[in-house]
Amino acid sequence: MKKLLLLFITIVSCSDSEEFFENSYCIENINLIDAKKGLKENMTIVISKNEIIKIEKTSNLKLSEKNKIYDGTDKFIIPGLWDSHVHFAFERELASSMFNLFMAYGITSVRDTGGEINFLKKWKNKSISNPNLLPRVKIAGPLIDGKFNVYNGNSVYFPPLSVRTASIEETEAQVKELIQNGVDFLKAYEMLTPEQLQVITKIAKENQLKVTGHIPLSMDVITASNMGLNSIEHLRNIEMSSTSNSEELLNLRRVALENKEGLLGSSLRTSLHNSQRMSSIKNIDSTQLKKVLNVLAKNDTWQIPTLILYRGWAYQLYQNLEWRNTFEFLPIEIKNKWNDQIDMIESTDNTERKDFADWGQSMTKLMNKMNINFMAGTDTPIGFQTPGYSLHNELEMLVKSGFTALEAIEAATYNPALYFKMENKLGLIKEGHIADLIVLSDNPLNNITHTKKIEAVIKNGNLMNREYLDSLKNSQEKN
Ligand SMILES: [Zn+2]
């Protein structure tokens, strides 16, 4: 009896002992959501320096009053979001504002899919030197393109985002130089030859880097995927490989790509898109499509469909009040420029664009059902997409394309971490992980648009409250 009583006293005093975490703060009684655990209610998360050091049921952890405590009651916490398709170099005057806007909207990491290498390195280095306040930046450097490169700086629509490589040797030299320059992945573009893509994937593999890209117009999707293209941006050119006459279409493209008329790369590409894209979408062959999708699934070729880019264009979603209001957070020159450009766009019949946007969503749905992996990306600032804000639109588009809310969150948290082999440190809410987190006032699993209801953003352990995030948004106009 005496023994039992002693045991009882020990248990009571043990559960009564209050825990104190030095140089830390605790988020108490919050509802945790991540891609692997789903929803865990009433949890306490302890953050020390830049790391999550403890996660426990709130009822199992008695916190001493000496702790710094953030009350998470009725709130939700998700991992920091990634926008996996951005361009710092597309509107250079906007680049400095992009950092603040990403943070204000909970985008704690971005993947830049193309721009001049030194310009991008500047932003990447800035973020490395200030990880508590700036988003993590992964860069590809310039688009690696072929002899008739598309983004050659010949017009405002095609700024010099690419490098022209006119031979296999030039491609090889360029890839090696980029790797020496510290790129995090490589981006292959549409005017490459199959031999040029081959050399890119080969060197990338030797250096354990991923290659993303558009399917070169000189190739079909199956060959590019088999060659080791790890991911495809915008579902680009998949339709041309998914018709019953896909071989014939490929041969026609190869003849055109000889470019006997000496067109600009951008014009040549546009003419090929114009002649094959919509006709392909109308003639998708279910057997051929199945073959394509099976290869993508088997090879683990990921997709970054940038649905909001296409849908935003086709349905002029940038006219929506909520979207339009975010222009207030842009530097005044950019805001005026975008408003002028939008005013010039006539409300002509957009049937083809709409069909294409709808097709992208149906493809996304199919691919997701086949367990092909996705990352959420927007192409901001292209398409009048306000940095940061636009990623939340893409999450909504993924859900409208058949993703569960949790799958959409996965595409913007765990998957990009996995893509960059950071999954042991980032992308989940887990002890030992870097504390990149977002506190929401409402449950995103009930409605994905709740990812916009941000109460606080935590970057590298640094908690930024709503007031601070608003100051980041409003710092733009004064710039
Ligand atoms: Zn892009």
Side-chain angles (χ1 to χ4, degrees), residues 206-219:
E206 288 163 6
N207 288 275
Q208 282 112 47
L209 290 182
K210 290 206 164 64
V211 182
T212 196
H214 296 194
I215 304 300
L217 287 159
S218 64
M219 301 182 73

Side-chain angles (χ1 to χ4, degrees), residues 168 171-176 179 186 197-209 211:
I168 302 172
T171 310
E172 181 171 349
Q174 194 52 241
V175 169
K176 286 183 173 164
I179 292 173
L186 296 163
L197 181 66
Q198 177 110 62
V199 81
I200 297 172
T201 54
K202 179 177 162 278
I203 301 172
K205 215 173 267 172
E206 288 163 6
N207 288 275
Q208 282 112 47
L209 290 182
V211 182

Side-chain angles (χ1 to χ4, degrees), residues 85 87 113 187 234 379:
H85 193 128
H87 294 283
T113 44
K187 181 160 176 191
H234 324 291
D379 225 355

